[in-house]
Amino acid sequence: MVALGDGRFARASITLRLYRRTRRIRAYLRWSKDGETQERYVCEVTHEWRGANLAEAWRRAREQGFLTEEPLPAESKASSRAVRANMQANRGRDTGPELALRSLLYAAGLRYRVNTRPLRELRRTADVVFPRERVAVFVDGCFWHGCPEHSRPARANAESWSAKIEGNRARDGDTNARLRSAGWTVLRVWEHDDAGEAARMVTQVVAAAREAVAKDEAASISFRMPT
C-alpha cells in the first residue's frame, strides 16, 4: 500500500519498462490518487526472468520507504495485515485443503459426510466422516491449531492468542480421546500436508476399517444362525 495522507491508502503495483536503446529495464511503482495515476521510479533490474525482477523491485520499494501497511481495523487483534489474512483464511469450513482432500477421496470411490458430528451427543464436528467405518478426519489449520512447523506467535495480544490456540489444542486432544473411547478412528491432517499423501492414508484406513466391519457383521450373522 501507498500512504496518500489524511489516513488514506492506495494499492500499488509494479510496472517494468524496457528501454530498447539502452537495453535497460526500469521498475516503477504505480497507484491511483483521486482518479489519477501516480508513478515513482524505484530502480533498475537486471534479472533474466520477469518474476525475479518484480520481486527485486518490490524489495527495493520497501527498503526505500515507498510502501506502507494499511492500519488494521480497530476491532482486530492481529499484529499485521498478513496475520489477519492468515486468521481469516483458516476460519470456517470448506477451506482449500479440505476441498482438495475431499475431491481426491471422492475420485477414489469413497463416499462420506462432511462437517458433521461423529457422535450426536458430542458437539464437535469433523471435516470428513465415514459413519459405518467410524473414521473421523480433521483438516487442521496451522494458525488456529498451533502447527509446530508454521504457527508463529502473534505480536499483538500475544498472551490472549496463545491461550486461545492452547485451548484449541486441548480441545483437539479431548475430542480425539472421546471419539477413540467410543470406538472411532481419528485422523488429523495439517493444512500444509500433501493432499495426495493424506488421501492415500485416509483411503487405507477406511479400507481396513471397512474390512473389519464386514468381518464383524459376518461373525454376527454366523452366530445367530441355528445349528
Side-chain angles (χ1 to χ4, degrees), residues 21-56:
R21 187 174 62 83
T22 61
R23 304 303 299 173
R24 291 181 175 178
I25 302 174
R26 292 184 174 182
Y28 294 84
L29 190 68
R30 303 186 73 193
W31 66 95
S32 178
K33 181 179 181 180
D34 300 326
E36 296 184 1
T37 299
Q38 308 291 315
E39 189 173 89
R40 170 176 281 175
Y41 170 73
V42 178
C43 64
E44 286 190 3
V45 289
T46 58
H47 298 287
E48 182 178 355
W49 303 106
R50 175 180 172 80
N53 284 327
L54 289 172
E56 172 72 10

Side-chain angles (χ1 to χ4, degrees), residues 51-63:
N53 284 327
L54 289 172
E56 172 72 10
W58 281 117
R59 183 181 66 80
R60 296 284 295 276
R62 291 189 184 93
E63 289 177 350

Side-chain angles (χ1 to χ4, degrees), residues 21-213:
R21 187 174 62 83
T22 61
R23 304 303 299 173
R24 291 181 175 178
I25 302 174
R26 292 184 174 182
Y28 294 84
L29 190 68
R30 303 186 73 193
W31 66 95
S32 178
K33 181 179 181 180
D34 300 326
E36 296 184 1
T37 299
Q38 308 291 315
E39 189 173 89
R40 170 176 281 175
Y41 170 73
V42 178
C43 64
E44 286 190 3
V45 289
T46 58
H47 298 287
E48 182 178 355
W49 303 106
R50 175 180 172 80
N53 284 327
L54 289 172
E56 172 72 10
W58 281 117
R59 183 181 66 80
R60 296 284 295 276
R62 291 189 184 93
E63 289 177 350
Q64 295 175 64
F66 296 160
L67 302 175
T68 187
E69 190 170 274
E70 184 180 5
L72 291 162
E75 70 276 9
S76 178
K77 297 181 180 179
S79 59
S80 68
R81 284 275 170 182
V83 171
R84 186 168 188 262
N86 190 22
M87 292 175 183
Q88 293 174 329
N90 283 285
R91 289 178 180 168
R93 52 185 287 179
D94 297 332
T95 63
E98 290 176 29
L99 295 175
L101 177 61
R102 279 156 41 184
S103 177
L104 290 172
L105 294 176
Y106 193 90
L110 298 182
R111 300 298 178 262
Y112 44 78
R113 296 180 184 175
V114 300
N115 299 301
T116 191
R117 298 182 190 179
L119 299 175
R120 289 186 178 181
E121 65 275 16
L122 183 62
R123 298 186 62 182
R124 312 278 172 86
T125 61
D127 298 307
V128 179
V129 177
F130 298 87
R132 183 169 178 267
E133 296 81 4
R134 291 195 172 191
V135 176
V137 184
F138 297 83
V139 182
D140 294 335
C142 290
F143 178 84
W144 290 109
H145 295 264
C147 168
E149 293 185 38
H150 302 107
S151 180
R152 297 292 182 270
R155 288 174 291 178
N157 301 299
E159 292 185 6
S160 175
W161 283 116
S162 178
K164 173 65 175 176
I165 293 172
E166 285 303 314
N168 289 343
R169 296 181 67 177
R171 181 184 174 90
D172 291 343
D174 181 66
T175 299
N176 295 348
R178 288 172 180 262
L179 290 179
R180 286 167 180 159
S181 67
W184 284 71
T185 298
V186 179
L187 301 176
R188 287 193 176 270
V189 178
W190 287 112
E191 66 171 332
H192 67 261
D193 287 338
D194 180 81
E197 293 182 4
R200 283 190 289 273
M201 175 187 68
V202 173
T203 300
Q204 291 173 0
V205 171
V206 170
R210 187 169 293 171
E211 184 177 347
V213 169

